[in-house]
Amino acid sequence: MPATNESELAAFDADLVRRAVQKTVSGPLYAFCEYDTESFRPLYLSDETVSMYDSRDAMLEHFETIHTNVHMDFMQIKLFRNTLFPDAERVEYITTAMDVMKIVRVYVGETGLFVSVDPDEPVVPIVDAIKDAIEWPPNQNS
């Protein structure tokens, strides 16, 4: 059975967003997490994801390592908007594609959503599902 937690970080209904993403992806949803600059909270972990780790502690330690790096996303948003592409109104998401999975990090205000899916999964439908599920902030990265 997949591991689930209720949302605690997001100012919006992240559980509703997770369900929308699950309905959208054609392949497996490996992980769905919420995070900000201080915290990282898994909301959904597939059986396959959980089975990758020898123990719950090993899994949480790996997630802490991930958060140590993804919190830098919020600094990258400022870099992209203020320095590299000052004409851009916002940074909505960043995608990392690997041979084993694709990670989509979507930014909604001060909250990031970490979505891990199959490497062949298209990204835009995932982002569109998130936008459709919540009231998208007009100038979220201002």
Side-chain angles (χ1 to χ4, degrees):
M1 171 175 261
T4 60
N5 288 306
E6 290 187 14
S7 173
E8 292 182 358
L9 302 175
F12 53 87
D13 189 344
D15 301 313
L16 173 75
V17 174
R18 176 192 47 85
R19 289 189 300 274
V21 169
Q22 281 181 299
K23 289 177 186 174
T24 300
V25 296
S26 59
L29 174 63
Y30 296 122
F32 184 92
C33 308
E34 61 184 352
Y35 65 99
D36 57 24
T37 58
E38 303 296 321
S39 301
F40 185 86
R41 183 168 173 79
L43 302 182
Y44 173 87
L45 302 171
S46 71
D47 290 337
E48 187 173 29
T49 300
V50 173
S51 70
M52 291 173 46
Y53 300 93
D54 293 332
S55 68
R56 182 178 187 275
D57 288 342
M59 181 175 69
L60 294 175
E61 183 178 319
H62 182 231
F63 289 165
E64 186 62 35
T65 302
I66 292 170
H67 183 262
T68 299
N69 294 294
V70 296
H71 83 280
M72 293 187 303
D73 288 359
F74 297 100
M75 291 185 290
Q76 283 187 347
I77 289 170
K78 290 182 176 138
L79 171 68
F80 275 94
R81 283 221 39 249
N82 298 339
T83 305
L84 301 177
F85 300 98
D87 292 338
E89 290 183 18
R90 65 174 156 235
V91 175
E92 295 181 349
Y93 64 91
I94 294 175
T95 302
T96 304
M98 296 170 269
D99 59 335
V100 295
M101 76 180 74
K102 185 179 289 179
I103 297 171
V104 184
R105 296 176 329 267
V106 181
Y107 311 110
V108 184
E110 301 299 316
T111 302
L113 297 173
F114 178 101
V115 181
S116 175
V117 293
D118 188 75
D120 296 325
E121 192 72 47
V123 172
V124 173
I126 294 170
V127 176
D128 287 346
I130 293 169
K131 287 180 177 181
D132 290 345
I134 60 173
E135 187 175 328
W136 194 254
N139 287 313
Q140 64 176 13
N141 305 136
S142 298

